[in-house]
Amino acid sequence: MAEFTLELNDDQKQVRDWLHGFAADVIRPAASEWDEREETPWPVIQEAAKVGIYSLDFYAQQFFDPTGLGIPMAMEELFWGDAGIALSIVGTGLAAVGVLANGTEEQIGTWIPQMYGDADDVKVAAFCSSEPDAGSDVASMRTRAVYDQAKDEWVLNGTKTWATNGGIANVHVVVAVVDPELGSKGHASFIVPPDTPGLSQGQKFKKHGIRASHTAEVVLEDVRVPGHCLLGGKEKLDQRLARARERAATGGERVKNAAMATFEASRPAVGAMAVGTARAAYEVALDYAKTRTQFGRPIIDNQGVAFQLADMRTRIDAARLLVWRASWMATTGKPFESAEGSMSKLYASETAKKVTAQAIQILGGNGFTREYPVERMHRDAAIYTIFEGTSEIQRLVIARTLSGMPIR
């Protein structure tokens, strides 16, 4: 078991500095353009692939860092560059985590490489869970997967929404209902291979923030996938459903569903994204406060500004510590007995919104214009309290974990 430390080792520092350089030299100069275009920044993703950042090998190395700090460190640096472009670079990772959390070794080895492609032929993947009437309320999911035993195929029908890379992905990971009577415990995840008939892109959303990241509906009409595309396999699914039915009948403990297993594994990483955005806004505000003069002196000489910056930095560091703790606990197998994963995501997300708003206030009228990046950072920060579990859902998870009660 890796010993807990707050000091990055030399290898981690080298990776951090490399990522910071890419974020500063490649991501930031392109941020405003792709935010305005509201399109997937394929040239930036390709550049990330060429240098090895957008690759299975890179994310595997960070994922298996024994300290647990590889992924949050990478997320913070990339999102320090720009949240929209960074999400386009790392969005495939959510689908990959979905396969890692639920798939067999053969499925992991088969499908995750196809999600990324290579530097000469870049691909992306999409994780499809949310629906028009089922966001936080996963029990209301309507997309159905029916097993055709004669052909050993699963038939998927439904509409997914808010899917990062939805419709443009090479591989889609789709969460669907296989047993409606079990509610959220009757869900399973499926791989939809490239060019599968019946899958199409629905509405592409024009968003408030993270506009360089493609977000769209995914429509599934009689989509047939081979039996081996059920993540984990049918035998494992049948066993899990049987346990769920037995526990439902006896009032026993809950069984986690496929989507929640993916989100639980990724929440500290989302917290790290929020830390990166908050840190970026804080640094802009700090530099501005040092150089902007009013009444013959830099505005940082005023307590009203200086105290804001002090609070901003304190919140950012506290958020990072919560993210690092949750990431370390997850990697070393320590249970989230107090919902530490949700704590990290909640606090970091709220910090990003607050810090970016304070940055605009410090810059005054300039902060409200697109001439300065804090306006974009504030728009981007809004998503952290919404996707992969809203702040309200995080509080609910934490409260239920602490109390042991079914708080609603």
Side-chain angles (χ1 to χ4, degrees):
M1 180 180 296
E3 181 180 352
F4 180 77
T5 177
L6 294 177
E7 180 69 24
L8 298 178
N9 60 42
D10 290 342
D11 289 342
Q12 290 170 326
K13 290 178 182 177
Q14 185 176 6
V15 171
R16 179 198 62 192
D17 293 345
W18 172 52
L19 290 169
H20 186 80
F22 183 84
D25 298 339
V26 181
I27 294 178
R28 280 205 168 178
S32 178
E33 175 189 352
W34 291 100
D35 177 71
E36 293 286 348
R37 291 175 62 167
E38 299 192 53
E39 297 175 359
T40 301
W42 290 108
V44 183
I45 299 174
Q46 187 169 31
E47 189 64 26
K50 286 180 179 178
V51 300
I53 293 174
Y54 186 77
S55 70
L56 172 60
D57 288 344
F58 172 74
Y59 286 106
Q61 289 174 13
Q62 305 315 310
F63 185 84
F64 291 111
D65 181 332
T67 69
L69 301 185
I71 290 294
M73 179 187 64
M75 296 300 105
E76 180 177 337
E77 294 303 328
L78 292 173
F79 280 74
W80 172 89
D82 176 68
I85 291 178
L87 190 57
S88 288
I89 293 173
V90 308
T92 292
L94 186 58
V97 169
V99 176
L100 284 169
N102 302 295
T104 65
E105 290 187 8
E106 182 179 358
Q107 289 170 330
I108 292 170
T110 299
W111 296 110
I112 293 184
Q114 295 187 46
M115 294 179 174
Y116 289 94
D118 55 46
D120 296 322
D121 187 19
V122 170
K123 304 293 186 184
V124 295
F127 182 75
C128 308
S129 176
S130 294
E131 298 183 1
D133 296 317
S136 299
D137 183 12
V138 294
S140 297
M141 191 176 293
R142 296 180 179 177
T143 297
R144 295 288 187 265
V146 178
Y147 185 57
D148 183 342
Q149 187 170 1
K151 295 184 177 180
D152 185 26
E153 292 179 340
W154 288 89
V155 185
L156 279 62
N157 281 282
T159 299
K160 294 295 182 178
T161 194
W162 310 122
T164 298
N165 297 329
I168 66 171
N170 192 50
V171 175
H172 291 76
V173 178
V174 177
V175 181
V177 178
V178 294
D179 189 332
E181 295 183 0
L182 292 176
S184 63
K185 295 181 283 293
H187 297 175
S189 292
F190 299 85
I191 292 286
V192 180
D195 302 319
T196 299
L199 184 147
S200 62
Q201 178 184 308
Q203 176 187 4
K204 177 186 174 182
F205 296 104
K206 297 181 74 65
K207 305 187 298 295
H208 175 67
I210 55 168
R211 301 198 303 195
S213 173
H214 176 96
T215 309
E217 290 182 332
V218 174
V219 180
L220 304 124
E221 297 178 312
D222 291 329
V223 172
R224 286 183 168 268
V225 299
H228 62 76
C229 287
L230 166 65
L231 290 180
K234 194 167 188 306
E235 181 178 353
K236 183 178 178 180
L237 173 64
D238 290 341
Q239 292 172 354
R240 178 168 62 82
L241 294 177
R243 291 195 302 270
R245 294 185 190 103
E246 180 180 349
R247 286 167 178 161
T250 60
E253 66 176 288
R254 299 179 180 183
V255 178
K256 292 176 183 176
N257 66 69
M260 294 311 295
T262 300
F263 291 141
E264 189 170 288
S266 63
R267 276 173 179 160
V270 176
M273 298 173 188
V275 170
T277 299
R279 188 183 115 212
Y282 158 77
E283 290 177 1
V284 172
L286 177 62
D287 289 343
Y288 186 88
K290 288 178 178 179
T291 57
R292 173 69 168 174
T293 59
Q294 289 287 284
F295 305 105
R297 62 182 182 178
I299 62 173
I300 199 171
D301 281 358
N302 300 303
Q303 286 187 0
V305 173
F307 284 8
Q308 281 196 76
L309 289 162
D311 287 343
M312 291 159 74
R313 176 59 184 267
T314 300
R315 286 187 65 103
I316 291 167
D317 282 13
R320 182 185 297 109
L321 288 173
L322 284 171
V323 167
W324 281 19
R325 179 183 69 168
S327 301
W328 172 76
M329 290 176 68
T331 296
T332 55
K334 295 186 179 298
F336 288 165
E337 294 180 350
S338 299
E340 287 86 352
S342 289
M343 283 184 185
S344 70
K345 199 267 186 185
L346 169 65
Y347 191 79
S349 298
E350 296 288 343
T351 291
K353 285 188 68 174
K354 183 175 181 63
V355 166
T356 54
Q358 287 177 297
I360 289 177
Q361 192 68 24
I362 290 171
L363 269 67
N366 286 329
F368 199 66
T369 72
R370 295 188 183 180
E371 296 299 314
Y372 288 80
V374 292
E375 176 271 339
R376 184 180 68 250
M377 293 169 183
H378 184 53
R379 287 189 285 107
D380 292 341
I383 194 60
Y384 298 127
T385 62
I386 298 173
F387 73 173
E388 294 196 51
T390 64
S391 288
E392 291 74 20
I393 289 297
Q394 306 308 322
R395 291 186 174 96
L396 189 62
V397 170
I398 295 166
R400 285 176 174 173
T401 304
L402 297 176
S403 68
M405 302 296 289
I407 299 169
R408 301 184 184 280

Short mmCIF file of all heavy atoms in Angstrom, two decimals, residues 227-257:
data_model
loop_
_atom_site.label_atom_id
_atom_site.label_comp_id
_atom_site.label_asym_id
_atom_site.label_seq_id
_atom_site.Cartn_x
_atom_site.Cartn_y
_atom_site.Cartn_z
N GLY A 227 -24.07 -10.39 -28.18
CA GLY A 227 -24.13 -10.71 -26.76
C GLY A 227 -22.86 -10.34 -26.01
O GLY A 227 -22.91 -9.95 -24.83
N HIS A 228 -21.72 -10.44 -26.68
CA HIS A 228 -20.46 -10.13 -26.00
C HIS A 228 -20.27 -8.64 -25.76
O HIS A 228 -19.29 -8.23 -25.12
CB HIS A 228 -19.27 -10.69 -26.79
CG HIS A 228 -19.11 -10.13 -28.17
ND1 HIS A 228 -18.60 -8.88 -28.41
CD2 HIS A 228 -19.40 -10.67 -29.40
CE1 HIS A 228 -18.57 -8.65 -29.71
NE2 HIS A 228 -19.05 -9.72 -30.34
N CYS A 229 -21.21 -7.81 -26.24
CA CYS A 229 -21.13 -6.37 -25.99
C CYS A 229 -21.79 -5.96 -24.67
O CYS A 229 -21.77 -4.79 -24.31
CB CYS A 229 -21.77 -5.60 -27.14
SG CYS A 229 -20.76 -5.60 -28.65
N LEU A 230 -22.40 -6.90 -23.97
CA LEU A 230 -22.89 -6.64 -22.62
C LEU A 230 -21.70 -6.62 -21.68
O LEU A 230 -20.99 -7.63 -21.52
CB LEU A 230 -23.88 -7.74 -22.20
CG LEU A 230 -24.23 -7.80 -20.70
CD1 LEU A 230 -24.97 -6.54 -20.26
CD2 LEU A 230 -25.05 -9.06 -20.41
N LEU A 231 -21.45 -5.49 -21.05
CA LEU A 231 -20.27 -5.37 -20.19
C LEU A 231 -20.39 -6.29 -18.98
O LEU A 231 -21.39 -6.25 -18.26
CB LEU A 231 -20.08 -3.93 -19.73
CG LEU A 231 -19.64 -2.96 -20.82
CD1 LEU A 231 -19.48 -1.55 -20.26
CD2 LEU A 231 -18.33 -3.41 -21.46
N GLY A 232 -19.39 -7.11 -18.79
CA GLY A 232 -19.38 -8.06 -17.69
C GLY A 232 -19.89 -9.43 -18.08
O GLY A 232 -19.61 -10.42 -17.39
N GLY A 233 -20.66 -9.50 -19.17
CA GLY A 233 -21.17 -10.79 -19.63
C GLY A 233 -22.52 -11.14 -19.03
O GLY A 233 -22.90 -10.65 -17.96
N LYS A 234 -23.26 -12.02 -19.71
CA LYS A 234 -24.62 -12.35 -19.29
C LYS A 234 -24.66 -13.15 -18.00
O LYS A 234 -25.56 -12.98 -17.17
CB LYS A 234 -25.35 -13.10 -20.39
CG LYS A 234 -26.87 -13.17 -20.15
CD LYS A 234 -27.62 -13.63 -21.35
CE LYS A 234 -29.12 -13.52 -21.15
NZ LYS A 234 -29.61 -14.18 -19.94
N GLU A 235 -23.70 -14.04 -17.82
CA GLU A 235 -23.71 -14.85 -16.59
C GLU A 235 -23.59 -13.96 -15.36
O GLU A 235 -24.33 -14.12 -14.38
CB GLU A 235 -22.55 -15.86 -16.63
CG GLU A 235 -22.50 -16.76 -15.40
CD GLU A 235 -21.39 -17.78 -15.47
OE1 GLU A 235 -20.73 -17.89 -16.53
OE2 GLU A 235 -21.14 -18.46 -14.45
N LYS A 236 -22.69 -13.00 -15.42
CA LYS A 236 -22.51 -12.07 -14.30
C LYS A 236 -23.76 -11.22 -14.11
O LYS A 236 -24.18 -10.96 -12.97
CB LYS A 236 -21.29 -11.20 -14.56
CG LYS A 236 -20.98 -10.24 -13.42
CD LYS A 236 -19.72 -9.44 -13.73
CE LYS A 236 -19.41 -8.44 -12.62
NZ LYS A 236 -18.19 -7.66 -12.92
N LEU A 237 -24.37 -10.79 -15.22
CA LEU A 237 -25.60 -9.99 -15.12
C LEU A 237 -26.71 -10.80 -14.48
O LEU A 237 -27.41 -10.31 -13.57
CB LEU A 237 -26.04 -9.52 -16.51
CG LEU A 237 -27.41 -8.83 -16.58
CD1 LEU A 237 -27.40 -7.52 -15.79
CD2 LEU A 237 -27.83 -8.59 -18.03
N ASP A 238 -26.91 -12.04 -14.92
CA ASP A 238 -27.97 -12.88 -14.35
C ASP A 238 -27.77 -13.09 -12.86
O ASP A 238 -28.74 -13.06 -12.09
CB ASP A 238 -28.01 -14.23 -15.07
CG ASP A 238 -28.53 -14.11 -16.50
OD1 ASP A 238 -29.17 -13.09 -16.82
OD2 ASP A 238 -28.28 -15.04 -17.30
N GLN A 239 -26.53 -13.27 -12.44
CA GLN A 239 -26.26 -13.45 -11.02
C GLN A 239 -26.56 -12.18 -10.23
O GLN A 239 -27.16 -12.23 -9.15
CB GLN A 239 -24.79 -13.84 -10.82
CG GLN A 239 -24.44 -15.22 -11.35
CD GLN A 239 -22.94 -15.50 -11.31
OE1 GLN A 239 -22.14 -14.62 -10.99
NE2 GLN A 239 -22.56 -16.73 -11.63
N ARG A 240 -26.17 -11.03 -10.80
CA ARG A 240 -26.43 -9.76 -10.11
C ARG A 240 -27.92 -9.47 -10.00
O ARG A 240 -28.41 -9.03 -8.96
CB ARG A 240 -25.72 -8.63 -10.86
CG ARG A 240 -25.95 -7.25 -10.26
CD ARG A 240 -25.01 -6.22 -10.83
NE ARG A 240 -25.19 -6.01 -12.25
CZ ARG A 240 -26.13 -5.23 -12.78
NH1 ARG A 240 -27.02 -4.63 -11.98
NH2 ARG A 240 -26.22 -5.06 -14.09
N LEU A 241 -28.67 -9.75 -11.09
CA LEU A 241 -30.11 -9.53 -11.06
C LEU A 241 -30.80 -10.45 -10.07
O LEU A 241 -31.74 -10.06 -9.37
CB LEU A 241 -30.70 -9.72 -12.45
CG LEU A 241 -30.27 -8.71 -13.53
CD1 LEU A 241 -30.89 -9.06 -14.87
CD2 LEU A 241 -30.64 -7.28 -13.13
N ALA A 242 -30.32 -11.68 -9.99
CA ALA A 242 -30.89 -12.64 -9.04
C ALA A 242 -30.68 -12.16 -7.60
O ALA A 242 -31.60 -12.24 -6.76
CB ALA A 242 -30.27 -14.02 -9.24
N ARG A 243 -29.48 -11.66 -7.31
CA ARG A 243 -29.22 -11.13 -5.96
C ARG A 243 -30.09 -9.92 -5.67
O ARG A 243 -30.61 -9.76 -4.56
CB ARG A 243 -27.75 -10.75 -5.81
CG ARG A 243 -26.78 -11.93 -5.80
CD ARG A 243 -25.41 -11.51 -5.28
NE ARG A 243 -24.83 -10.43 -6.06
CZ ARG A 243 -24.06 -10.62 -7.13
NH1 ARG A 243 -23.80 -11.85 -7.55
NH2 ARG A 243 -23.54 -9.57 -7.77
N ALA A 244 -30.27 -9.07 -6.70
CA ALA A 244 -31.09 -7.88 -6.52
C ALA A 244 -32.54 -8.26 -6.23
O ALA A 244 -33.19 -7.66 -5.37
CB ALA A 244 -31.00 -7.00 -7.75
N ARG A 245 -33.05 -9.26 -6.95
CA ARG A 245 -34.43 -9.71 -6.72
C ARG A 245 -34.58 -10.29 -5.31
O ARG A 245 -35.57 -10.04 -4.62
CB ARG A 245 -34.83 -10.75 -7.76
CG ARG A 245 -34.91 -10.20 -9.18
CD ARG A 245 -35.43 -11.24 -10.15
NE ARG A 245 -35.29 -10.80 -11.54
CZ ARG A 245 -34.35 -11.24 -12.37
NH1 ARG A 245 -33.48 -12.16 -11.96
NH2 ARG A 245 -34.27 -10.77 -13.61
N GLU A 246 -33.59 -11.05 -4.90
CA GLU A 246 -33.64 -11.66 -3.56
C GLU A 246 -33.60 -10.58 -2.48
O GLU A 246 -34.37 -10.64 -1.52
CB GLU A 246 -32.46 -12.62 -3.39
CG GLU A 246 -32.44 -13.31 -2.04
CD GLU A 246 -31.25 -14.24 -1.90
OE1 GLU A 246 -30.57 -14.50 -2.91
OE2 GLU A 246 -31.00 -14.71 -0.77
N ARG A 247 -32.73 -9.61 -2.65
CA ARG A 247 -32.62 -8.55 -1.65
C ARG A 247 -33.84 -7.65 -1.65
O ARG A 247 -34.26 -7.15 -0.60
CB ARG A 247 -31.35 -7.73 -1.90
CG ARG A 247 -30.10 -8.50 -1.48
CD ARG A 247 -28.85 -7.86 -1.98
NE ARG A 247 -27.67 -8.60 -1.51
CZ ARG A 247 -26.46 -8.52 -2.04
NH1 ARG A 247 -26.26 -7.74 -3.08
NH2 ARG A 247 -25.46 -9.21 -1.53
N ALA A 248 -34.43 -7.45 -2.83
CA ALA A 248 -35.65 -6.66 -2.90
C ALA A 248 -36.78 -7.36 -2.16
O ALA A 248 -37.59 -6.72 -1.48
CB ALA A 248 -36.04 -6.42 -4.36
N ALA A 249 -36.80 -8.68 -2.26
CA ALA A 249 -37.85 -9.45 -1.61
C ALA A 249 -37.68 -9.48 -0.09
O ALA A 249 -38.65 -9.52 0.67
CB ALA A 249 -37.88 -10.88 -2.16
N THR A 250 -36.41 -9.45 0.37
CA THR A 250 -36.13 -9.56 1.80
C THR A 250 -35.81 -8.23 2.44
O THR A 250 -35.60 -8.16 3.66
CB THR A 250 -34.95 -10.53 2.04
OG1 THR A 250 -33.79 -10.02 1.36
CG2 THR A 250 -35.28 -11.91 1.52
N GLY A 251 -35.76 -7.17 1.62
CA GLY A 251 -35.42 -5.86 2.16
C GLY A 251 -33.97 -5.73 2.51
O GLY A 251 -33.58 -4.93 3.38
N GLY A 252 -33.09 -6.49 1.83
CA GLY A 252 -31.66 -6.49 2.13
C GLY A 252 -30.96 -5.28 1.55
O GLY A 252 -31.58 -4.34 1.06
N GLU A 253 -29.61 -5.29 1.61
CA GLU A 253 -28.82 -4.15 1.17
C GLU A 253 -28.96 -3.91 -0.32
O GLU A 253 -29.30 -4.80 -1.10
CB GLU A 253 -27.34 -4.37 1.53
CG GLU A 253 -26.68 -5.51 0.78
CD GLU A 253 -25.20 -5.62 1.10
OE1 GLU A 253 -24.43 -4.74 0.65
OE2 GLU A 253 -24.84 -6.57 1.77
N ARG A 254 -28.64 -2.72 -0.72
CA ARG A 254 -28.79 -2.33 -2.12
C ARG A 254 -27.66 -2.86 -2.97
O ARG A 254 -26.57 -3.13 -2.50
CB ARG A 254 -28.81 -0.80 -2.23
CG ARG A 254 -29.96 -0.15 -1.47
CD ARG A 254 -29.88 1.34 -1.62
NE ARG A 254 -30.96 1.99 -0.91
CZ ARG A 254 -31.16 3.30 -0.92
NH1 ARG A 254 -30.35 4.08 -1.60
NH2 ARG A 254 -32.17 3.84 -0.25
N VAL A 255 -27.94 -2.98 -4.26
CA VAL A 255 -26.93 -3.35 -5.24
C VAL A 255 -26.67 -2.13 -6.11
O VAL A 255 -27.60 -1.52 -6.62
CB VAL A 255 -27.40 -4.53 -6.11
CG1 VAL A 255 -26.35 -4.87 -7.15
CG2 VAL A 255 -27.72 -5.74 -5.24
N LYS A 256 -25.43 -1.76 -6.29
CA LYS A 256 -25.10 -0.60 -7.10
C LYS A 256 -25.39 -0.87 -8.57
O LYS A 256 -25.13 -1.96 -9.06
CB LYS A 256 -23.64 -0.23 -6.93
CG LYS A 256 -23.30 0.29 -5.54
CD LYS A 256 -21.82 0.55 -5.42
CE LYS A 256 -21.47 1.00 -4.01
NZ LYS A 256 -20.02 1.16 -3.83
N ASN A 257 -25.91 0.13 -9.27
CA ASN A 257 -26.18 -0.04 -10.69
C ASN A 257 -24.96 0.35 -11.51
O ASN A 257 -24.01 0.96 -11.01
CB ASN A 257 -27.43 0.74 -11.11
CG ASN A 257 -27.23 2.24 -11.00
OD1 ASN A 257 -26.48 2.81 -11.77
ND2 ASN A 257 -27.91 2.87 -10.05
#
